[in-house]
Amino acid sequence: MATDFKSIPIIDIGPLLAKCDDPKMGQDSGVAQVVKQLDQACKEAGFFYVKGHGIPETILKQVKNLTRKFFELPYEEKLKIKMTADRGYRGYQRIGENITKGVPDMHEAIDCYKELKPGMYGDLGKPMEGCNQWPIQPTNFKMLMEEYVSLCTELSRNIMRGIALALGGSPYEFEGERAGNAFWVMRLIGYPGVHSANGSDIPKDVGCGAHTDYGLLTLVNQDDDITALQVRNRSGEWISAPPVPGTFVCNIGDMLKIYSNGLYESTLHQVINSSPKYRVCVAYFYETNFDTAVEPLDICKERTTGAKKFERAVYGEHLVKKVQTNFVY
Ligand SMILES: N=C(N)NCCCC[C@H](N)C(=O)O
Ligand SMILES: O=C(O)CCC(=O)C(=O)O
Ligand SMILES: [Fe+2]
């Protein structure tokens, strides 16, 4: 349950990663240290930074730099990969096209999803079927982003082993039928800076309205130097998640809230870029298998009150419902 946290902890997950291919990892004291920190952060804030994650900072930077270069292209160029329902909601959306709680968000983005082959999940998967749309410029865009997705997928699986232990389960709680064939989402996002007209500041635009993420775990690779991401604590205060170079900001999604029977919550967050500079963020979302029916784990029901607090939800249905209301014109 979220508390009145005032800041977001930084966790060095190096010791977890060193042992995460060992089935006896749960007995390692270095792993146990990390697991304890993960458990505390997930209970208190639902947000934490990770360092020692093994993805080189140069790659984190390249991914943001290429994203920035794409958004600098003329609008007509960006429209060549326009997102439409027919393309499985994959591709470029202009500023104001994404809607959160009825309000247009002041961001542009490229949305990418794990590819779904036609018919793969029957009617459930139909709306998301399609291939990602990659720009031809900047060069090497597709190659870099696909490499990045595979690094984030592996990292997320390993962090989830730590979270599984934190919940009191086996390290592999979120593999196999649950998330052994994890669906993923990647959003390359650009938030325009604010410009003052005649010396007076224009009221703050919301880059992305208050929302929770949909799946298991999000890895946010945000621009250095601009503080814009804010996380809501129990009292309703917005706590900033300032950039910490070389780290990811991680947060819990709706499916992990259900699995943990509310022990961990998917915390509300929003983005307000009140700096004059354009802000880039690359968010990677690690989800369950597309067709998995998610319900509270027995080990988590025991740790709460014995009763389940959430009904079962099919991840794919949850995603499709969100996507179909994110873009009402
Ligand atoms: N795939 C994820 N998690 N995307 C997060 C985007 C949040 C904004 C969206 N309009 C919403 O209201 O959910
Ligand atoms: O821009 C950010 O820092 C976070 C974006 C976000 O919350 C999202 O895309 O779900
Ligand atoms: Fe988010």
Side-chain angles (χ1 to χ4, degrees), residues 238-256:
W238 289 102
I239 306 302
S240 286
V244 178
T247 67
F248 287 100
V249 179
C250 297
N251 64 281
I252 285 167
D254 299 333
M255 296 303 118
L256 186 49

Side-chain angles (χ1 to χ4, degrees), residues 120-281:
M120 216 170 156
Y121 296 111
D123 287 348
L124 175 67
K126 194 133 244 119
M128 303 308 301
E129 282 174 9
C131 299
N132 288 314
Q133 303 199 69
W134 301 109
I136 304 158
Q137 290 180 66
T139 47
N140 293 332
F141 198 94
K142 176 177 192 275
M143 206 179 65
L144 178 67
M145 296 305 172
E146 288 184 337
E147 169 67 8
Y148 184 69
V149 164
S150 80
L151 291 170
C152 287
T153 301
E154 191 191 343
L155 173 59
S156 302
R157 196 224 313 125
N158 291 336
I159 297 174
M160 287 308 298
R161 288 187 180 170
I163 290 179
L165 289 169
L167 287 170
S170 103
Y172 313 116
E173 230 41 81
F174 301 106
E175 291 172 43
E177 295 287 290
R178 293 189 182 123
N181 178 25
F183 191 70
W184 57 261
V185 182
M186 181 169 67
R187 309 198 66 220
L188 313 171
I189 317 169
Y191 303 88
V194 288
H195 297 282
S196 47
N198 307 322
S200 68
D201 284 328
I202 293 164
K204 279 178 197 156
D205 282 327
V206 176
C208 187
H211 67 279
T212 60
D213 293 342
Y214 316 152
L216 289 176
L217 183 74
T218 306
L219 304 182
V220 172
N221 171 12
Q222 61 173 334
D223 245 350
D224 295 340
D225 310 323
I226 304 171
T227 298
L229 174 59
Q230 303 176 342
V231 183
R232 207 183 67 163
N233 74 12
R234 188 171 56 187
S235 297
E237 292 169 288
W238 289 102
I239 306 302
S240 286
V244 178
T247 67
F248 287 100
V249 179
C250 297
N251 64 281
I252 285 167
D254 299 333
M255 296 303 118
L256 186 49
K257 175 189 72 177
I258 299 176
Y259 275 132
S260 71
N261 204 26
L263 215 50
Y264 301 163
E265 273 180 301
S266 47
T267 315
L268 271 175
H269 52 285
Q270 65 182 14
V271 180
I272 298 176
N273 180 14
S274 43
S275 96
K277 278 200 286 191
Y278 189 94
R279 174 178 182 267
V280 164
C281 172

Side-chain angles (χ1 to χ4, degrees), residues 293-315:
V294 177
E295 56 189 338
L297 301 177
D298 289 337
I299 46 168
C300 296
K301 282 189 288 192
E302 286 161 20
R303 278 182 66 185
T304 42
T305 53
K308 68 170 183 178
K309 291 204 221 157
F310 302 101
E311 289 311 312
R312 92 200 319 241
V314 176
Y315 168 74

